[in-house]
Amino acid sequence: QGRRIWANRYLMIVGCRLLVFRHPISKCRGSANFPLNVIDLTNALISQKSETVISISTHRIYEFRFADSATVSSWLIELKGAS
């Protein structure tokens, strides 16, 4: 109880939106290239929840875990720049 299973997701920033994909972007996948989520970053609150987790609050809370803190730092800069 209280244990979280993290699924692999692939992120792309387009304008002021964060697109979340289940698979890496590839021309071979066809309809699998549709995003699972499109998160509007315009009024989102973006914060670092822990050393490897970023939290994005809009009408709901999204959390993304990264491999290391250097990756988190780069994504924080990009996400805040897009918001």
Side-chain angles (χ1 to χ4, degrees), residues 6 9 21-22 27 44 52 60 62 74 79:
W6 294 91
R9 295 294 181 251
F21 296 91
R22 180 168 291 159
K27 293 181 182 177
T52 58
R60 63 165 284 201
Y62 300 91
S74 349
L79 288 168

Side-chain angles (χ1 to χ4, degrees), residues 2-65:
R3 188 162 182 190
R4 202 174 275 194
I5 305 292
W6 294 91
N8 287 336
R9 295 294 181 251
Y10 300 88
L11 308 176
M12 177 188 291
I13 297 174
V14 177
C16 61
R17 291 184 171 85
L18 178 66
L19 280 60
V20 182
F21 296 91
R22 180 168 291 159
H23 303 287
I25 302 301
S26 125
K27 293 181 182 177
C28 301
R29 291 215 179 255
S31 64
N33 282 342
F34 289 117
L36 292 173
N37 284 324
V38 178
I39 303 169
D40 184 13
L41 299 174
T42 307
N43 295 315
L45 298 174
I46 301 163
S47 61
Q48 186 170 351
K49 187 171 181 180
S50 72
E51 189 175 310
T52 58
V53 176
I54 290 177
S55 175
I56 301 173
S57 297
T58 58
H59 62 285
R60 63 165 284 201
I61 298 173
Y62 300 91
E63 291 182 349
F64 298 97
R65 185 177 71 174

